[in-house]
Amino acid sequence: MKSHRIRHQFLLEPELSEKLENLSRNPSTTKSAIVAHAVETFIEQRGENELDQRYGKRLDRLSRELGHVRRDVEMILESLALFIRFSITLHAHTPVPDRATQAIAQERFDKFVEQVGRQIASGKRSLGTDDRRGGEG
């Protein structure tokens, strides 16, 4: 069963027509196949180029900015974790940070991390607004 094809008529410059004629002399190909392949390739390349021209620079910029944001967030989180660990160690109620103080600090830090996990899981926020509370906070 033959695939359904639509006839098109178009004009070519004499030089281009001669090139098409030369390519179609090979018995394994036809003018229709050559033109169909050329049109398909042109459309695919133009579409890719248009998308790349239109969005490529923006996507590259957004990717770089996202990398910077990710790096900044990691630094902020690490700073916050170190600050909390330091703060808990200072307030462990012993004058010298010995092993017992460090153990108390570690226990408090672990409890703090658990509490943060519970807060995030419950949707409650200590800072900012919470959608479920109607914007109060």
Side-chain angles (χ1 to χ4, degrees):
M1 186 162 139
K2 278 190 165 182
S3 65
H4 182 69
R5 297 188 295 180
I6 300 172
R7 176 181 290 274
H8 291 273
Q9 293 181 352
F10 50 89
L11 301 173
L12 296 175
E13 296 292 326
E15 301 85 28
L16 190 55
S17 179
E18 186 176 326
K19 289 179 182 180
L20 178 61
E21 190 68 42
N22 289 337
L23 282 174
S24 66
R25 286 190 181 137
N26 184 343
S28 65
T29 188
T30 64
K31 289 179 187 177
S32 292
I34 294 168
V35 171
H37 180 69
V39 169
E40 183 177 359
T41 301
F42 175 79
I43 290 171
E44 286 176 2
Q45 287 178 350
R46 181 175 177 170
E48 288 175 9
N49 288 337
E50 276 186 34
L51 287 175
D52 193 37
Q53 289 173 356
R54 184 176 284 174
Y55 300 112
K57 291 179 182 178
R58 291 182 203 167
L59 290 173
D60 289 343
R61 182 177 47 84
L62 288 172
S63 293
R64 282 192 307 275
E65 289 176 3
L66 182 60
H68 294 307
V69 168
R70 182 178 293 130
R71 182 202 62 211
D72 292 348
V73 167
E74 287 173 1
M75 287 191 304
I76 290 168
L77 289 175
E78 184 63 23
S79 299
L80 178 62
L82 290 173
F83 174 76
I84 292 167
R85 186 180 298 267
F86 176 74
S87 178
I88 291 171
T89 301
L90 283 180
H91 297 97
H93 301 297
T94 56
V96 180
D98 55 6
R99 289 190 188 272
T101 303
Q102 291 173 351
I104 292 170
Q106 184 63 47
E107 181 181 331
R108 290 180 181 178
F109 181 75
D110 293 341
K111 287 180 181 178
F112 169 78
V113 171
E114 288 173 17
Q115 179 62 29
V116 170
R118 283 193 299 273
Q119 287 286 111
I120 291 172
S122 71
K124 296 178 184 175
R125 299 292 183 262
S126 297
L127 300 174
T129 62
D130 183 76
D131 293 336
R132 292 189 287 166
R133 292 185 295 187
E136 299 172 8

